[in-house]
């Protein structure tokens, strides 16, 4: 699959959209072992990466979800460590408060994108 040089540039011009080249990357989702085609917009190359984060989901070029699952598994542990003082066996926090902290801060991390 090969884009002509002007297809993306024409689309951005038609819809009066400006592309931020500093934040733009592209990933070609495929099972083939070939190199990904190069993409340019307004004669500026868009860098290619094997993994991309989109709306909190870590997608790799083969859509295996390994990278996403690994990162999702580590994030709640880091968050729980920072909340250890509030969640540990202290007398200042009630069980209701601890449950609210879990439901509002930790559970969304686990459940988003599963």
């Amino acid at each position: 699959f090969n884009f002509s040089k002007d297809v993306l540039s024409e689309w951005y011009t038609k819809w009066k959209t400006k592309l931020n080249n500093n934040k733009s990357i592209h990933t070609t989702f495929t099972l083939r072992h070939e190199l990904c085609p190069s993409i340019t917009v307004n004669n500026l190359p868009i860098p290619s990466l094997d993994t991309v984060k989109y709306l909190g989901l870590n997608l790799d070029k083969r859509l295996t979800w390994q990278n996403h699952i690994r990162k999702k598994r580590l994030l709640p542990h880091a968050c729980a460590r920072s909340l250890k003082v509030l969640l540990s066996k202290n007398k200042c926090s009630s069980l209701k408060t601890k449950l609210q902290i879990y439901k509002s801060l930790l559970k969304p991390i686990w459940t988003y994108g599963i």
Side-chain angles (χ1 to χ4, degrees), residues 11 13 17 19 31-32 35 40 55 58 69 71 92 101 107 109:
W11 188 90
T13 303
T17 305
L19 182 70
L31 294 175
R32 296 181 182 179
L35 293 176
T40 59
L55 297 176
N58 295 293
I69 292 168
K71 289 186 178 189
C92 298
I101 289 170
K107 189 177 178 184
I109 295 170

Side-chain angles (χ1 to χ4, degrees), residues 2-40:
N2 192 5
F3 281 110
S4 69
K5 290 185 178 184
D6 298 328
V7 172
L8 291 174
S9 299
E10 289 173 8
W11 188 90
Y12 286 114
T13 303
K14 176 183 175 184
W15 293 102
K16 296 178 178 70
T17 305
K18 189 173 182 180
L19 182 70
N20 186 341
N21 289 334
N22 296 327
K23 294 182 178 181
S24 300
I25 58 169
H26 87 275
T27 300
T28 302
F29 299 107
T30 182
L31 294 175
R32 296 181 182 179
H33 295 286
E34 301 170 357
L35 293 176
C36 296
S38 61
I39 304 290
T40 59

Side-chain angles (χ1 to χ4, degrees), residues 76-87:
H77 293 296
C79 190
R81 276 193 303 261
S82 65
L83 297 171
K84 186 176 181 179
V85 174
L86 295 174
L87 297 175

Side-chain angles (χ1 to χ4, degrees), residues 90-109:
N90 64 9
K91 296 178 182 178
C92 298
S93 299
S94 67
L95 181 60
K96 184 178 177 181
T97 302
K98 292 176 186 180
L99 189 58
Q100 187 64 36
I101 289 170
Y102 168 76
K103 286 180 179 179
S104 62
L105 297 176
L106 296 175
K107 189 177 178 184
I109 295 170

